Amino acid sequence: MTGNHSNGKTIMTLTGNLFIAGQRRSSDERFQALDPSTDKAIPEPGFAIAEPADVDAACEAAEAAYAIYSNLPLEKRARFLEAMADEIDSLGDTLTERACAETGLPEARLTGERGRTVGQLRLFAQVVRDGAWQGVRIDNADPDRTPPKPDLRLRKVPLGPVAVFGASNFPLAFSIAGGDTASALAAGCPVVAKGHPAHPGTSELVAGAIMRAAEKTGVPTGMFSLLNGTSHELGTALVSDPRIQAVGFTGSRKGGEALMKVAAARKQPIPVYAEMSAINPVILLPSALESRGDALAQAYVGSVTMGAGQFCTNPGLVLAMQGEALENFAEAVGDAIHKAAPQVMLTHGIRQQFGAGKAELSAETNVTLLGEGVAPSNECQSSAAIFRTSAAEFMKNPSLGEENFGASSIIVECDDLDQLQSLLAGLEGQLTAALHMDEADYGMAGKLLPVLEKKAGRVIANGWPTGVEVSHSMVHGGPYPATSDPKSTSVGTLAIERFLRPVCYQDLPPELLPACLAGQGPDGAIRLIDGVWKI
Amino acid sequence: MTGNHSNGKTIMTLTGNLFIAGQRRSSDERFQALDPSTDKAIPEPGFAIAEPADVDAACEAAEAAYAIYSNLPLEKRARFLEAMADEIDSLGDTLTERACAETGLPEARLTGERGRTVGQLRLFAQVVRDGAWQGVRIDNADPDRTPPKPDLRLRKVPLGPVAVFGASNFPLAFSIAGGDTASALAAGCPVVAKGHPAHPGTSELVAGAIMRAAEKTGVPTGMFSLLNGTSHELGTALVSDPRIQAVGFTGSRKGGEALMKVAAARKQPIPVYAEMSAINPVILLPSALESRGDALAQAYVGSVTMGAGQFCTNPGLVLAMQGEALENFAEAVGDAIHKAAPQVMLTHGIRQQFGAGKAELSAETNVTLLGEGVAPSNECQSSAAIFRTSAAEFMKNPSLGEENFGASSIIVECDDLDQLQSLLAGLEGQLTAALHMDEADYGMAGKLLPVLEKKAGRVIANGWPTGVEVSHSMVHGGPYPATSDPKSTSVGTLAIERFLRPVCYQDLPPELLPACLAGQGPDGAIRLIDGVWKI
């Protein structure tokens, strides 16, 4: 990638090379970026494929950079994250246009996603400065106790180099400088990113922005590398490298489970934070369904079809009690879905799998196709589909509860609250669970909340699961298989905790204590002193 | 177990039955408790062996109790933990005498351990009341933003039923009502305990105390069960049960790794918190070694031989630079170890394995036996042993870095600081790393700290690793294989976090919000409101 300035805007020419700790690396063999709206290669020299030596070099550099990067003053680390945001902002349309070409996602969506990406980097800069993430605890010594009580001081330190896998469906917010990278770098962990092969040009542009930010803020370049490739072996080699200490992944259940196996089989097993698979149940309670079924139907179809349904939080399952209100809702959904325009999906593979999933559901006995979107005008588009079945059938047939990634959803009719509760209790873990309700429904909602809390990372009232706020209180997580670790989130500031571990210092002389543990801890940062919280 | 009062003291008669949610269960086949000082059975009817139906019943009861127990008012949960402590206290000598008979540990040690056990239950009661563990975060809504910002509220909820494995070496502090149980119950998780077969009577006494505390405080009895048995199948069945959501284990690396495999192979994998294997390096820096080598030698032998060396934090590795000071230290160690009395070990199996480990080390070329303790007067005792080798040899031979559970340690002579650093960098993860130093050593210590932080959960200055304070700032954890999860601790109040997961509530009406999330969160408990910490 080379840059020159014209009218104050940086024009980028892609080179297709890897980034290994600030150095560019080429390869003899290269792969092409594909335009999913034509399935044709985007004409350009193509992208270098990382070899085992590249994985080794990137991990070696990350390990070396860890010692320096993890000990930078917090202000410097925060400024680096802000500089990343600035550099990504200054890529402007170059970035969103490239991402459009590689993903088929509309420009407005990608402009929004760029905003989310830089916003999340700036939010993590605040988190770094705040210092609460260090988790400082001090228990002062008591030499007069029998036995004498030692001086104990705890802080959290970064785990070490983190492997981040770019996601196909969020080419910016969950790829090279996305949530996993932002939270790992905020924690003080170097990142070795594996770019998703569906958007290598987008990855290169963002990696270039990271490198420029590192140069401008004087951060060691080894704290970031970008590896590209099209084989599973690359990911396996990266997760197997003994210097890698944690993994961030957003993608399919199959992909996440494969990485979990690799991580568990290491001599030193490491945590994998995989965000994988969910159908995000939405429950329409009777009074709400009665009073505003039409509006719910419009909003439902809007949520299902948004971004061709390629969201982890797509509402794949709608539950309601049988009756006239449900019939009216279903009719309105049928009307709305018939008007839904066909859309380009992220990749040829995703499109094929989505089509196969729809065909399988259509072939199920006791499952009816409520409606399909407008037929595609070419073979590179897909149309949305909404199905319908009974709770008894849904509970009998586990395949109906599996995610079909794309604009597909199933409406399930329940006989009564008991049956609805049984169905929910039998679901696998979910990212979200939503309840549409009026005040008259609160009693029923109160009965459902315990099972929803148990099944999901986020419980939503009167909203749809798509749309994930990046904030302090967000949980984008949930029990298996929504994620591999229900104790974490991959969106929001709590995500930093995935990459930290506590270390206790016993009787260390003040001269040798880390700065944040000196005296009674850092003023202004939340900390626990002799069992009492202080700010 | 039946109890009657005599002179204000509760006299307990063991029945050997299991506890399944407040009910006692017997079995046809029974096993005997053994006295390790004689290898003979303690005369009594023996102990029931849990069958698959018992595992099922205990897990079913735990699952049912979860809904109630996890939602008790915090004050009630805290009082239950305190009542457990009171009931264990009131067992008095009955408990310590039984534990002595089953473990061969001296009475003073067990009295101390009982104090630690009840102290840790009372400390967790304070933690429950404090409420900070709920991790409350609130981001208030902003309907005027484009798009409108939802109301988001986060709290941590208990994971669900937890399987706790009793440890052989801490029959009280890490068994039935030990650290794992205390932190799981504090988090709101029911516990299904698997008693260690080496001290079933001790387990029964403690389980009875838990049940009496539950009755007195009105806590559902399903939140605790005790299963006993002698086969690995029992542990496998327990960890495989789909209702179990996490595992606490302290024991051998082999045992911990077996449970990790079972947990990872489940349809829904679950976290295993296994505290397994460490040799806890102790570094004697030159000035300290020169100025107080004799005192260090005495303290070292004291730490190695304490409790027959059966501590996770036993100092199995001492590192120092070559020279006269090291020779003087080694001579003093040799003198001291020769006087160490032989001791009864916890079980026949541990004693045999320890003996085999000593024999293997003695047979290594380039490893010398610096000295052994007084020879045993009977075959049920073991004597301590301290070995010596060079850093070059230690780095060449990985078996020298493996834990030999018992009073065994190796002194390793390093050529210089570089070689010491290389050796440390090659070590596996550790629970602790200790530095003995005078002011003149601080420069060298500063160079070593980064590698010690990376390798261990606790860094100790001028102390020995045995002796683990139960407090807010303690970390009894560390990188693999010291534990299976370096992000956690099994001692100290931070241990509660192992059993919690965050849930976010979006736009939930106040009527349906959990109490701790109402308004601007609970006054007095630390919480994050719109990015600002409040107390």
Side-chain angles (χ1 to χ4, degrees):
Chain A
M1 192 176 67
T2 57
N4 58 61
H5 289 265
S6 158
N7 300 327
K9 202 171 113 181
T10 307
I11 308 295
M12 296 293 159
T13 312
L14 296 172
T15 68
N17 290 339
L18 311 171
F19 286 77
I20 313 280
Q23 302 297 309
R24 308 304 305 272
R25 193 89 57 106
S26 186
S27 72
D28 293 337
E29 216 188 323
R30 296 174 90 87
F31 72 101
Q32 300 294 129
L34 298 178
D35 176 347
S37 70
T38 60
D39 276 358
K40 298 227 164 61
I42 299 174
E44 60 201 355
F47 292 86
I49 294 173
E51 287 167 15
D54 298 315
V55 175
D56 183 63
C59 294
E60 182 68 30
E63 172 78 4
Y66 171 74
I68 302 161
Y69 181 69
S70 64
N71 285 306
L72 288 182
L74 299 190
E75 179 57 28
K76 192 161 181 170
R77 203 193 287 174
R79 282 197 193 151
F80 165 55
L81 293 170
E82 287 166 342
M84 278 173 66
D86 294 342
E87 291 293 330
I88 291 169
D89 264 341
S90 79
L91 287 170
D93 297 345
T94 307
L95 179 62
T96 41
E97 281 163 17
R98 178 73 196 188
C100 285
E102 291 185 327
T103 64
L105 292 169
E107 202 191 327
R109 149 72 197 272
L110 287 166
T111 307
E113 196 182 319
R114 191 183 62 213
R116 174 175 163 177
T117 307
V118 298
Q120 136 178 300
L121 286 163
R122 292 183 179 122
L123 183 61
F124 274 110
Q126 285 175 34
V127 169
V128 169
R129 284 194 185 97
D130 173 83
W133 59 271
Q134 293 177 112
V136 168
R137 292 171 166 226
I138 296 174
D139 291 319
N140 287 290
D142 180 1
D144 298 331
R145 198 193 65 174
T146 312
K149 187 178 165 194
D151 179 273
L152 293 169
R153 290 161 191 258
L154 180 155
R155 67 159 178 170
K156 290 188 175 173
V157 300
L159 279 180
V162 172
V164 170
F165 286 74
S168 64
N169 63 337
F170 279 91
L172 302 175
F174 267 85
S175 280
I176 304 312
D180 289 335
T181 297
S183 49
L185 290 176
C189 296
V191 165
V192 181
K194 193 240 163 221
H196 197 285
H199 54 254
T202 307
S203 297
E204 181 178 344
L205 289 170
V206 173
I210 297 176
M211 283 295 106
R212 285 194 298 282
E215 278 161 34
K216 283 185 180 166
T217 53
V219 159
T221 51
M223 59 75 233
F224 177 81
S225 292
L226 169 64
L227 303 174
N228 277 317
T230 53
S231 76
H232 293 313
E233 284 73 19
L234 173 58
T236 302
L238 180 56
V239 174
S240 304
D241 190 284
R243 290 158 295 204
I244 295 296
Q245 294 300 304
V247 179
F249 170 88
T250 298
S252 70
R253 182 169 181 171
K254 200 175 140 191
E257 288 181 342
L259 294 183
M260 288 169 71
K261 282 204 176 71
V262 173
R266 289 167 48 120
K267 192 183 164 205
Q268 175 219 9
I270 53 172
V272 174
Y273 299 104
E275 193 265 83
M276 300 183 287
S277 172
I279 55 170
N280 305 297
V282 176
I283 301 155
L284 310 177
L285 290 174
S287 180
L289 190 59
E290 175 77 36
S291 68
R292 47 195 162 96
D294 268 10
L296 287 171
Q298 302 303 325
Y300 170 42
V301 172
S303 182
V304 168
T305 57
M306 188 191 291
Q310 300 164 124
F311 288 103
C312 328
T313 51
N314 199 53
L317 174 63
V318 165
L319 300 157
M321 249 70 89
Q322 62 179 356
E324 200 188 326
L326 175 57
E327 297 313 315
N328 292 340
F329 169 80
E331 201 181 315
V333 167
D335 288 348
I337 193 76
H338 286 135
K339 293 174 201 147
Q343 293 178 81
V344 171
M345 293 191 78
L346 291 162
T347 68
H348 177 83
I350 288 174
R351 187 172 77 234
Q352 291 221 311
Q353 204 166 354
F354 176 67
K358 281 201 300 180
E360 273 170 40
L361 270 174
S362 303
E364 293 282 354
T365 45
N366 302 325
V367 173
T368 55
L369 177 64
L370 184 62
E372 248 186 312
V374 176
S377 57
N378 68 57
E379 61 168 20
C380 288
Q381 296 180 333
S382 296
S383 51
I386 292 184
F387 299 87
R388 191 174 168 178
T389 193
S390 69
E393 182 64 27
F394 186 90
M395 289 191 275
K396 211 163 60 189
N397 186 347
S399 71
L400 302 185
E402 285 168 17
E403 183 183 17
N404 183 23
F405 188 72
S408 170
S409 185
I410 189 162
I411 299 171
V412 175
E413 174 183 335
C414 301
D415 295 341
D416 51 30
L417 187 65
D418 278 354
Q419 196 184 34
L420 173 58
Q421 280 181 304
S422 302
L423 188 153
L424 290 170
L427 287 182
E428 293 191 290
Q430 303 292 338
L431 291 168
T432 69
L435 284 163
H436 287 272
M437 54 188 166
D438 286 349
E439 269 191 60
D441 298 314
Y442 286 3
M444 216 177 252
K447 283 184 188 142
L448 295 174
L449 275 174
V451 66
L452 300 183
E453 278 171 350
K454 207 167 139 181
K455 292 291 173 183
R458 178 164 56 118
V459 176
I460 302 162
N462 292 321
W464 297 87
T466 42
V468 181
E469 184 77 20
V470 181
S471 69
H472 299 291
S473 307
M474 175 50 64
V475 177
H476 189 64
Y480 201 87
T483 74
S484 53
D485 180 355
K487 299 187 308 303
S488 66
T489 175
S490 61
V491 176
T493 59
L494 203 59
I496 196 172
E497 295 195 353
R498 299 177 296 167
F499 304 117
L500 296 167
R501 50 176 274 263
V503 175
C504 169
Y505 302 81
Q506 180 172 324
D507 289 332
L508 218 65
E511 294 90 331
L512 293 173
L513 272 176
C516 67
L517 294 181
Q520 294 302 297
D523 267 350
I526 186 76
R527 58 210 193 278
L528 186 63
I529 311 292
D530 293 324
V532 179
W533 293 99
K534 309 266 183 194
I535 303 183
Chain B
M1 194 174 66
T2 56
N4 58 63
H5 291 263
S6 156
N7 298 327
K9 200 171 114 180
T10 308
I11 307 296
M12 296 295 159
T13 314
L14 297 173
T15 68
N17 290 340
L18 310 172
F19 287 77
I20 313 280
Q23 302 297 308
R24 308 303 307 271
R25 195 87 59 101
S26 186
S27 72
D28 295 337
E29 216 187 322
R30 295 175 89 88
F31 72 100
Q32 300 294 129
L34 298 178
D35 176 348
S37 71
T38 60
D39 276 357
K40 299 227 163 62
I42 300 174
E44 61 202 352
F47 292 87
I49 293 174
E51 285 167 16
D54 298 315
V55 175
D56 183 62
C59 293
E60 183 69 28
E63 173 76 4
Y66 170 74
I68 304 161
Y69 182 69
S70 64
N71 285 305
L72 289 181
L74 298 190
E75 179 58 29
K76 191 160 181 171
R77 202 193 286 174
R79 282 195 195 152
F80 165 54
L81 293 170
E82 287 165 344
M84 277 173 67
D86 293 344
E87 291 294 332
I88 292 169
D89 263 341
S90 80
L91 287 170
D93 297 344
T94 308
L95 180 62
T96 41
E97 281 163 15
R98 178 72 197 189
C100 284
E102 291 185 328
T103 64
L105 292 170
E107 202 191 328
R109 148 73 196 272
L110 287 167
T111 307
E113 196 181 322
R114 191 182 62 212
R116 174 174 163 178
T117 306
V118 298
Q120 124 183 310
L121 286 163
R122 291 181 178 124
L123 182 60
F124 273 109
Q126 286 176 33
V127 168
V128 170
R129 285 195 184 96
D130 172 82
W133 59 272
Q134 292 177 112
V136 168
R137 291 171 167 225
I138 296 175
D139 291 318
N140 286 288
D142 180 2
D144 298 330
R145 198 193 64 175
T146 313
K149 189 179 162 190
D151 179 275
L152 294 168
R153 291 161 190 259
L154 180 155
R155 68 159 177 170
K156 291 188 174 174
V157 301
L159 279 180
V162 172
V164 170
F165 286 75
S168 64
N169 63 336
F170 279 92
L172 303 174
F174 267 86
S175 280
I176 304 313
D180 289 335
T181 297
S183 49
L185 290 175
C189 296
V191 166
V192 180
K194 193 239 161 223
H196 197 284
H199 54 254
T202 306
S203 297
E204 183 179 344
L205 290 170
V206 173
I210 297 176
M211 283 294 106
R212 285 193 298 282
E215 279 161 35
K216 284 185 181 166
T217 54
V219 160
T221 51
M223 59 76 233
F224 177 81
S225 291
L226 169 64
L227 304 173
N228 276 318
T230 53
S231 75
H232 294 311
E233 284 73 18
L234 173 57
T236 301
L238 180 56
V239 174
S240 304
D241 190 284
R243 290 158 295 204
I244 295 295
Q245 295 298 304
V247 179
F249 170 88
T250 298
S252 70
R253 182 169 181 171
K254 201 175 140 191
E257 288 181 341
L259 294 182
M260 288 170 71
K261 282 205 175 68
V262 173
R266 288 167 49 120
K267 192 183 163 205
Q268 175 218 10
I270 52 171
V272 174
Y273 300 104
E275 193 267 83
M276 301 183 286
S277 170
I279 54 169
N280 304 297
V282 177
I283 301 155
L284 310 177
L285 289 174
S287 178
L289 189 60
E290 174 77 36
S291 68
R292 47 197 164 95
D294 268 9
L296 288 170
Q298 301 304 324
Y300 170 43
V301 172
S303 183
V304 168
T305 56
M306 188 190 292
Q310 300 164 125
F311 288 103
C312 328
T313 50
N314 199 52
L317 174 63
V318 165
L319 300 158
M321 248 69 88
Q322 62 179 355
E324 202 188 325
L326 174 58
E327 297 313 314
N328 293 340
F329 169 80
E331 202 182 312
V333 167
D335 288 347
I337 193 76
H338 286 135
K339 294 173 202 145
Q343 293 179 81
V344 172
M345 293 190 78
L346 291 161
T347 69
H348 177 83
I350 287 173
R351 188 173 76 233
Q352 291 220 310
Q353 203 166 355
F354 175 68
K358 281 201 300 179
E360 272 170 42
L361 270 174
S362 303
E364 293 282 355
T365 45
N366 303 324
V367 173
T368 55
L369 177 64
L370 186 60
E372 250 187 312
V374 176
S377 57
N378 67 56
E379 60 169 18
C380 288
Q381 296 180 333
S382 295
S383 52
I386 292 183
F387 298 87
R388 191 175 167 179
T389 192
S390 70
E393 183 64 27
F394 186 89
M395 288 191 275
K396 211 164 58 189
N397 187 347
S399 71
L400 302 184
E402 285 167 17
E403 183 183 14
N404 183 23
F405 189 72
S408 170
S409 185
I410 188 163
I411 298 171
V412 175
E413 174 183 335
C414 302
D415 295 340
D416 51 31
L417 186 64
D418 278 354
Q419 196 185 33
L420 172 59
Q421 281 181 305
S422 301
L423 188 153
L424 290 170
L427 287 181
E428 293 190 289
Q430 303 291 337
L431 291 168
T432 69
L435 284 162
H436 287 273
M437 54 188 167
D438 286 348
E439 268 191 61
D441 297 314
Y442 286 3
M444 217 177 252
K447 284 184 191 140
L448 296 174
L449 274 174
V451 66
L452 299 183
E453 277 170 353
K454 208 167 138 183
K455 292 290 171 182
R458 179 164 55 119
V459 176
I460 302 162
N462 292 320
W464 297 87
T466 42
V468 181
E469 184 76 20
V470 181
S471 69
H472 300 289
S473 307
M474 176 50 66
V475 177
H476 190 63
Y480 201 87
T483 75
S484 53
D485 181 354
K487 299 186 308 302
S488 66
T489 176
S490 61
V491 175
T493 59
L494 203 58
I496 195 173
E497 295 196 354
R498 297 176 298 167
F499 303 117
L500 296 167
R501 52 175 272 263
V503 175
C504 169
Y505 302 81
Q506 180 171 324
D507 288 332
L508 218 65
E511 294 90 332
L512 293 172
L513 272 177
C516 66
L517 294 182
Q520 295 303 296
D523 267 350
I526 185 77
R527 58 209 193 278
L528 185 63
I529 311 290
D530 294 322
V532 179
W533 292 100
K534 310 262 184 198
I535 303 183

